[in-house]
């Protein structure tokens, strides 16, 4: 899938999950916490494509996400791509093809999702609020770039960076400072997993089984069969899926914050009694 679909699916998944936690487990969160979680999860759902490198020296190429912070994130993407290729080459088995590009390898695995989720939590736990500000700044940048791609393209990376800084600043001022932020790491990890699911429904697939070897292959690309696969950038993705993600996100928001609204349209039975 393309960047905007990944970001939207991440936000929708987090909002739906927050609603389900609230409705079925009685775990309520403040509106700010939910907004931060949805933003971080949307950004996390773009993170795996930070392995799509471009030409740093010419400021060209790279995935949507790699262009978020200008040449700097393009450079980071190039480094991540090379590291991923290194991991691929070091762990490939005899039936795995040779590769000269690391896209859709290490960052598209479950261990990567767990690693960045754990890393985010560790950073927030050790360094407290300043780490949280940094994490929100970075993830908000990715989310803005993904969710509002046309605006971000026109505005350019300087404006996107400034907006992310404003979001991080506002959030830092409003967040309580004296506790851990376990949901941040979870949001990043969930976002990565949602990205993998999004790539699985396209025909290229992702190495979801890594590092479990199957038939002398460590890096088996798992995806749905070509006949039913979603074409990247096709109408199913840009219209059907994006509409569905938007509807899920809006319904979850309405169910959490304006249950009366759902009642008016008789959607409350469908969204679960509260
Ligand atoms: Zn991807």
């Amino acid at each position: 899938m393309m960047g905007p679909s990944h970001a939207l699916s991440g936000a929708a998944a987090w909002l739906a999950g927050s609603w389900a936690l609230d409705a079925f487990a009685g775990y309520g969160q403040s509106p700010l916490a939910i907004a931060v979680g949805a933003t971080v999860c949307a950004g996390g759902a773009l993170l795996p494509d930070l392995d799509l490198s471009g030409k740093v020296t010419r400021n060209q190429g790279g995935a949507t996400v790699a262009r978020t912070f200008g040449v700097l994130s393009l450079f980071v993407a190039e480094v991540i791509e090379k590291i991923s290729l290194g991991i691929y080459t070091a762990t490939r088995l005899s039936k795995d093809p040779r590769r000269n590009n690391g896209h859709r390898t290490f960052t598209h695995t479950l261990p990567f999702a767990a690693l960045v989720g754990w890393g985010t939590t560790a950073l927030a736990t050790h360094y407290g609020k300043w780490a949280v500000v940094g994490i929100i700044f970075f993830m908000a940048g990715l989310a803005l770039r993904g969710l509002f791609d046309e605006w971000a393209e026109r505005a350019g990376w300087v404006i996107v960076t400034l907006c992310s800084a404003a979001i991080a600043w506002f959030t830092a001022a409003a967040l309580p400072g004296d506790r851990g932020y376990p949901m941040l790491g979870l949001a990043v990890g969930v976002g990565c997993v949602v990205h993998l699911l999004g790539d699985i429904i396209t025909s290229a697939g992702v190495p979801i089984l890594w590092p479990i070897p199957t038939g002398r292959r460590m890096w088996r690309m798992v995806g749905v069969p070509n006949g039913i696969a979603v074409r990247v950038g096709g109408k199913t993705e840009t219209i059907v899926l994006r509409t569905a993600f938007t509807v899920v996100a809006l319904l979850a928001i309405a169910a959490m914050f304006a249950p009366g609204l759902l009642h008016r349209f008789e959607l409350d039975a469908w969204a679960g009694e509260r």
Side-chain angles (χ1 to χ4, degrees), residues 13 52 65 73 100 132 145 150 204 214 230 245-246 257 265:
L52 196 56
V65 59
S73 46
N100 50 22
V132 172
R145 184 83 212 190
E150 280 168 23
T214 51
V230 173
F245 297 148
T246 309
F257 300 115
F265 294 101

Side-chain angles (χ1 to χ4, degrees), residues 70-229:
V71 181
L72 189 70
S73 46
L74 214 51
F75 173 73
V76 171
E78 184 120 31
V79 172
I80 291 176
E81 188 261 304
K82 293 289 176 286
I83 293 174
S84 302
L85 182 62
I87 295 173
Y88 178 90
T89 308
T91 62
R92 84 183 175 93
L93 299 176
S94 58
K95 284 270 169 65
D96 286 313
R98 252 175 226 289
R99 294 185 65 126
N100 50 22
N101 186 292
H103 179 51
R104 279 197 181 194
T105 58
F106 179 61
T107 61
H108 287 66
T109 63
L110 292 173
F112 175 81
L115 188 73
V116 289
W118 170 81
T120 304
T121 302
L123 271 180
T125 310
H126 284 288
Y127 299 101
K129 209 163 173 173
W130 285 110
V132 172
V133 173
I135 292 162
I136 292 175
F137 166 71
F138 182 70
M139 300 310 274
L142 301 189
L144 285 176
R145 184 83 212 190
L147 292 174
F148 309 107
D149 61 324
E150 280 168 23
W151 164 80
E153 194 75 54
R154 260 182 290 127
W157 68 271
V158 177
I159 303 285
V160 172
T161 303
L162 289 176
C163 287
S164 318
I167 290 171
W169 183 259
F170 167 79
T171 312
L175 273 183
D178 53 346
R179 47 172 211 148
Y181 305 92
M183 294 303 251
L184 272 186
L186 188 66
V188 175
V190 168
C192 290
V193 173
V194 170
H195 180 102
L196 298 187
L197 297 177
D199 276 354
I200 279 180
I201 61 170
T202 63
S203 57
V206 293
I208 193 84
L209 295 171
W210 190 86
I212 302 167
T214 51
R216 276 185 283 161
R217 285 200 68 176
M218 186 80 96
W219 295 92
R220 190 177 293 281
M221 291 291 176
V222 179
V224 301
N226 280 338
I228 52 165

Side-chain angles (χ1 to χ4, degrees), residues 21-49:
L21 274 180
D22 188 13
F24 301 116
Y27 184 87
Q29 303 171 75
S30 69
L32 178 69
I34 291 172
V36 169
T39 306
V40 171
C41 197
L46 288 167
L47 206 54
D49 276 350

